[in-house]
Each structure stands twice: as C-alpha cells, then as structure tokens.
Amino acid sequence: MKKFTFAILSLLAGTVLTAAQSELQKEINAQIAAGKKVVKLTRPEYRSAKTIELRKLDGVTIDGNGAKLVMTRPVHALRLNGCRNTTVKNLTIDYDPLPFTQGVITAVSPDCRQIEFTIDEGYPDLTAAYAVGHPHLFQKDGKSWKLEAADLYGKTEILDARHGRFRANKSEPALAPGDKLALNMRKNGAVYLTACGPIRFEDLTIYTCPSLGFCNRFSEGGDELVNVKLTRGPRPEGAKADRLLSTCADGLNYAYIRRGPKLVNCDFSFMGDDSVNLHSVALPVVRVLNGTTFDTLRPYKAEGFPRIIRPGDKLRLLDPSDYSVIGEAVIESFRPSPRKYDRETLKKFYFNRGDGLRDWTAYEVKLAPGGTAVKEGQFFDIPAIGANGFEIRDSYFHDHRGRGLRIMASDGVIENNRFERIKHAAITAGAEYGYWREAGWVENIQIRNNVIRDVGRNMMLQPDSYANGAISVFARLEDYTSPFKGNRNITITGNSIENCPAAGIFLFAADGVKLQDNRLTRTAYGDKTPGANLGFSGLKPVWIVNSANVTSK
C-alpha cells in the first residue's frame, strides 16, 4: 500500500490547537485535554480536508452521537496510531467530492473492446484522477454489477469533462449501450490503523472512500466491528442517478497483525474489491550472511515489521518451487539491514512488480541456533503476524466486485453469514504465495452455516482462475501440477449454496478437510472450466483437486 504523509495531530493533554486543524479535530482534542474518557460529538455534520488523528489513546470512546464526517479531500478520514482499548461509534463517513465518478455507455465498437460514455449529472468531471484503467460495469438500472461481464482492464481517454472513451485489453461481448460504469480512485481509505491494540468500531457507516474501508497494519489486532455498514450513500446534489459504488477497494483489509478481527452483524456491499482480506507476507532469503543470519527484501519503503515481529516468533521456511514447508526456525531479531540492494536483485523475487517500484527495503533476520539451515533463494513466512484468530459471524456480504472473504489467516470461524450477487467466490481460504506473496497455508478454519446465492460468474470468464468454487480452499502458485498440501484441518459444514456456475465447493492443495451437511443447488453448470489455463479440469459441484484426507457425510 502507498504511504502518505500527514501532519500528526497529537491528542495528548496539552495539545496546541492550531488554525490548521479541522473543527472536529479541535473538538476531540479539547475533550481529551480535559480528561474525558467519553468524547461525545456535538454537531450533526463536520467537514474536514485533513485526516482526524487519534494518537496513543487508551480506554477512550469517541461517540459520534449520530454525526456525519464529510472529507473534502481524498485522504484518510480517521487514523488511529498507537491506540488501545479505544471505541469509535455512532458515526457516518462520506466524501465530497466523491472519490469516483460514473456514467452511461453511449456506444460500443463492433469488436466489443471500445466504448464511449457520458458522465452522469451531479457526479465529478472526468479528470485525470478518474481516468483509470479499471472501470466497473453495472447493469442498466445500476442496481447490481453486470455479473456476466469480465473485469475490465485497459485505458481511459478523456474526450471532455463529461465524456470519455475506454479501450479494453480484450473483447467483452457483454458490453452494451445503456450499461452503467464507475471509475474510481485508489488512494487512501476511510479508517487506517497502525501500532494499535484492540479497537472497537460500533454502529459505524461508511458511504464511500478512495480505497479501503478499514485498513490495519503492524498492530496487536483483536479489533471488533459490530453493526458496521459499508453501503452506497445518498445521491449527490443535482444528481438524477443513484451512486454505483461504496468504497473504491476492499471493505476491510488487515495484514501483519498478531490477532485477527471479529466481525458481528456487519453489512458490506458495493465495494470495488473484496469484502474482507486477511493476510501476512512471504519474504525471500536474499543473502545468507552466516548460519543464523540473512537479509530479506520488501518492495516498499521501511515498514513496521521490526516492531510487530518478536523474538521467539516461528519462521516457516518454504521451497521456492512449490512453497512447501521444508523447515522451521525461531526468530531472535528482525531489523533494518545496513546493506543495500539494487533493483535487479529485487526483480529476482518480485518479478511482477520490480520495474514499477521506486522504493524497497532490506531487513536483517537473525535466527536462534538449531533451526533448519537457510539457503539463498528460499522464501519464508511468519504465522504469528498473519491475522490469525479471526471471527466473522452473522454478517451480510453482497453486490460487489471481488471475493466475499479472502482469507489467508488461520484459527478462524466463518459462521452464519449471507453472501449474494458477488462476481467472484463467496469464501476463499488458502495461500497466496505467487504474485502478491501474501503468504497463507491456512489451518484450523471452520466454515459453517453460511447461505450463499448467485456468486462466481466471473470465475467462468477467467481461464487463469485459481479459486474456483463458491467456497474455495485455494493456493496461488506459479506451478499448479503437484502442489504441496499445506491448507489443513478445515471444516465446511451446514452451508447452503445456490446458483454458482463454478463449483459449489472447491478444494485444492488441502490435507484434512471435513465436508458435512452442505446443500448445493444448481452449481457447476457453467459451459467452461474455470482455471483451465492453469491445468484445472473436471468441473464438479464438489471439485477436489490435488487434496488428501477429505471426508464427507
């Protein structure tokens, strides 16, 4: 994720209130300085061009009291840094101007690759910020995504402030005049957390934001989200059409944290990507210095890994050919490395991103004696920072582009949720060692009593799809022919799955899966095989590929 620098506005007692601070920041700061543990907002609406900063709070409740916070620039709305046992509740977040614009397709070329469109009245002009290469396609009435269309990638051309042209990388036969489309930014999310302990969000609504709804990095974790809603907001002033999007990217994305979140009675819809994404990181062994010390590389500026990785954490060593676990060791220290590495070294391990990145960071890892010997070219991950111990219950995920749940974390429960009208899979759990290198090999997950309807059409349009069922246990690799069976001890019981052209349940690279009392209706009816280019074949309602010890009743 990109890093953005903002003025850090301390909320400690004695804070100096400056003219540059927003009225909401001043109000919160004043109540904190007065020693209040419950900060209750006093206005129905606040407008701010700057992020509201909450720093080093402990045991404090920010009660929005029904207020709306409207951000007038595409920055984070709330940023929590170093907070513990803090609650944010009874607040709505929106942006004006919107971080997306939208319109109607007016013409489609004969080859179904090029479209022209007109921006809807009341929505932002088509400027460079909105002329993105990945527009979202909706049905003519704007009520749902165009599920039969593949994701669009290509180039947007600005004809004038209210008209544009888009050329797709490949033909899309589902394009038609009258379809709606949205073009969104990908900048800062609504709520950003770092270095935090448990935080509770309650009765919070996010209408839109330029990226992720909730993002947590390098924290203790254990957050709770209760009655949180991500939904499309009201029409802008002067608009005649409803909004198409809520957040521009994931609803919730948590990574490099020591305990996963708990979601209860949440409602996430119309996001530009996944509902929930939990993951860690896979890192390369770049240079071995001695038997217990080596350097690794990350394709970003310096991050919080030295803070969140602790002595005694287990390191899981991975074979680069198939990411099989070939050994373990115990970490003694993880710190910035004094050694420098060039772009060519980076590209050896991040082949998909090396040319486009300007920043990268080396870290030195020291291991305790007695672990598996480390060799250059291997990979490793650190399960302790993988957002493990998550709970997702009694929630509703619907009408969005990506996956419902994209889980690369262990020791979790996914229970009594509803998933409807999602372009990709409803629930995926597994390893992302290829491409994004978000780690994985998940263990001890219970997926039970969920209701899933009308999902997965986009999998049929992707011959390189690697998660090919409404519920998918997956691995993203470079070679799919004979994978390591690293996803283990997974229970899938009591789920109802209806209308998915791909598999109802897809198991890949798994060892030890229990299937029981799942009800599948109209699944695996598609006329293509998802993932065919990766070697997948034999589509079935329960599709088991390169997995072992699967039991069913």
Side-chain angles (χ1 to χ4, degrees):
M1 169 173 285
K2 292 181 179 179
K3 304 293 190 297
F4 292 84
T5 302
F6 303 104
I8 302 301
L9 307 175
S10 175
L11 288 183
L12 299 176
T15 295
V16 177
L17 304 182
T18 70
Q21 292 175 347
S22 69
E23 291 303 312
L24 176 55
Q25 188 76 68
K26 292 178 183 179
E27 185 174 326
I28 294 173
N29 287 2
Q31 293 193 50
I32 293 294
K36 291 187 177 182
K37 286 294 187 179
V38 178
V39 175
K40 197 165 187 176
L41 304 189
T42 60
R43 300 184 184 182
E45 182 173 304
Y46 300 83
R47 299 179 72 86
S48 178
K50 293 194 174 186
T51 299
I52 307 304
E53 298 280 354
L54 310 178
R55 285 181 59 85
K56 298 183 179 179
L57 301 183
D58 193 346
V60 172
T61 294
I62 308 296
D63 186 348
N65 195 27
K68 178 190 285 188
L69 169 60
V70 180
M71 303 303 296
T72 58
R73 292 177 56 238
V75 298
H76 297 302
L78 300 177
R79 184 180 179 105
L80 289 79
N81 192 328
C83 297
R84 295 180 54 81
N85 306 310
T86 297
T87 296
V88 180
K89 65 179 185 179
N90 301 327
L91 182 68
T92 296
I93 295 172
D94 204 357
Y95 283 70
D96 180 19
L98 293 172
F100 65 90
T101 193
Q102 64 182 60
V104 179
I105 295 176
T106 56
V108 179
S109 65
D111 63 358
C112 295
R113 287 187 60 189
Q114 183 168 290
I115 59 174
E116 295 191 2
F117 58 90
T118 298
I119 299 298
D120 284 339
E121 188 175 344
Y123 287 86
D125 286 345
L126 183 61
T127 61
Y130 300 103
V132 297
H134 176 35
H136 302 290
L137 192 64
F138 288 78
Q139 302 287 357
K140 291 179 174 62
D141 60 9
K143 292 181 179 179
S144 68
W145 251 263
K146 193 153 190 176
L147 298 177
E148 63 270 29
D151 292 342
L152 297 176
Y153 296 93
K155 183 177 180 180
T156 297
E157 177 186 356
I158 301 171
L159 301 180
D160 60 44
R162 307 304 293 176
H163 299 87
R165 178 184 295 129
F166 174 77
R167 179 73 175 175
N169 293 338
K170 59 182 181 180
S171 178
E172 175 45 70
L175 291 169
D179 287 344
K180 304 280 288 184
L181 85 165
L183 303 102
N184 62 277
M185 299 179 183
R186 281 286 188 103
K187 287 192 175 181
N188 301 297
V191 181
Y192 184 84
L193 305 93
T194 190
C196 287
I199 306 296
R200 181 180 175 91
F201 299 101
E202 182 179 347
D203 295 316
L204 205 70
T205 297
I206 298 175
Y207 283 146
T208 193
C209 67
S211 185
L212 310 170
F214 294 86
C215 180
N216 195 343
R217 296 290 188 267
F218 307 107
S219 290
E220 292 297 315
D223 298 353
E224 294 187 358
L225 289 84
V226 180
N227 301 328
V228 170
K229 180 179 287 189
L230 274 63
T231 187
R232 301 189 288 191
R235 291 182 181 182
E237 183 177 354
K240 298 179 180 179
D242 293 334
R243 299 192 199 186
L244 295 176
L245 288 177
S246 61
T247 66
C248 290
D250 298 348
L252 179 147
N253 188 306
Y254 275 32
Y256 332 128
I257 64 174
R258 298 192 69 88
R259 184 168 181 82
K262 179 179 181 179
L263 280 69
V264 179
N265 198 34
C266 294
D267 187 333
F268 288 10
S269 64
F270 292 99
M271 294 81 63
D273 214 327
D274 308 317
S275 279
V276 175
N277 185 324
L278 306 179
H279 68 91
S280 180
V281 63
L283 295 168
V285 178
V286 173
R287 179 181 176 187
V288 176
L289 303 170
N290 57 52
T292 59
T293 307
F294 65 92
D295 278 354
T296 187
L297 276 174
R298 272 280 284 177
Y300 299 101
K301 289 183 179 179
E303 300 169 284
F305 288 106
R307 181 182 68 245
I308 202 63
I309 297 170
R310 296 176 180 165
D313 283 345
K314 180 175 71 175
L315 177 149
R316 193 163 54 178
L317 195 62
L318 307 166
D319 187 314
S321 66
D322 62 359
Y323 303 98
S324 58
V325 179
I326 56 177
E328 295 180 352
V330 174
I331 295 173
E332 282 195 354
S333 66
F334 192 108
R335 62 186 184 183
S337 171
R339 289 160 290 278
K340 305 297 182 182
Y341 296 90
D342 59 19
R343 183 185 297 276
E344 293 306 310
T345 302
L346 181 80
K347 288 168 63 176
K348 291 179 184 178
F349 305 101
Y350 299 97
F351 59 89
N352 61 311
R353 291 182 281 171
D355 285 329
L357 289 167
R358 292 174 292 179
D359 299 299
W360 52 92
T361 305
Y363 298 96
E364 178 187 284
V365 185
K366 184 176 181 180
L367 304 176
T372 303
V374 176
K375 297 180 181 179
E376 291 178 4
Q378 295 173 330
F379 283 81
F380 68 95
D381 63 11
I382 303 167
I385 62 167
N388 302 322
F390 62 91
E391 299 179 38
I392 303 173
R393 306 177 186 270
D394 305 309
S395 295
Y396 187 25
F397 306 103
H398 58 105
D399 297 288
H400 65 86
R401 187 198 72 82
R403 303 175 187 178
L405 308 181
R406 189 169 182 264
I407 304 298
M408 293 156 281
S410 295
D411 304 317
V413 177
I414 301 167
E415 180 177 49
N416 295 331
N417 303 288
R418 283 191 297 152
F419 302 84
E420 294 180 326
R421 297 176 301 280
I422 297 171
K423 291 190 72 173
H424 295 267
I427 301 170
T428 65
E432 173 95 18
Y433 287 114
Y435 204 77
W436 292 118
R437 303 210 186 285
E438 292 180 342
W441 294 142
V442 301
E443 300 178 348
N444 309 320
I445 295 178
Q446 299 180 60
I447 302 171
R448 60 194 184 208
N449 302 327
N450 300 283
V451 176
I452 301 170
R453 298 189 184 96
D454 300 319
V455 303
R457 291 197 197 179
N458 224 71
M459 290 183 281
M460 310 308 297
L461 305 173
Q462 290 185 281
D464 59 349
S465 175
Y466 53 88
N468 297 313
I471 298 176
S472 293
V473 177
F474 77 98
R476 191 175 191 182
L477 310 167
E478 282 90 30
D479 184 352
Y480 293 81
T481 56
S482 183
F484 177 69
K485 300 173 180 63
N487 298 311
R488 296 175 176 173
N489 192 24
I490 298 171
T491 300
I492 303 173
T493 62
N495 301 284
S496 175
I497 303 169
E498 180 181 352
N499 196 23
C500 175
I505 297 173
F506 173 74
L507 306 179
F508 176 71
D511 188 353
V513 180
K514 178 182 177 181
L515 304 175
Q516 184 173 337
D517 298 330
N518 298 292
R519 299 171 298 282
L520 277 60
T521 304
R522 198 166 184 262
T523 63
Y525 62 82
D527 59 357
K528 297 180 180 178
T529 299
N533 286 1
L534 303 181
F536 293 113
S537 62
L539 174 62
K540 300 175 183 177
V542 178
W543 192 9
I544 302 173
V545 183
N546 284 327
S547 296
N549 299 311
V550 178
T551 62
S552 60
K553 293 184 179 180

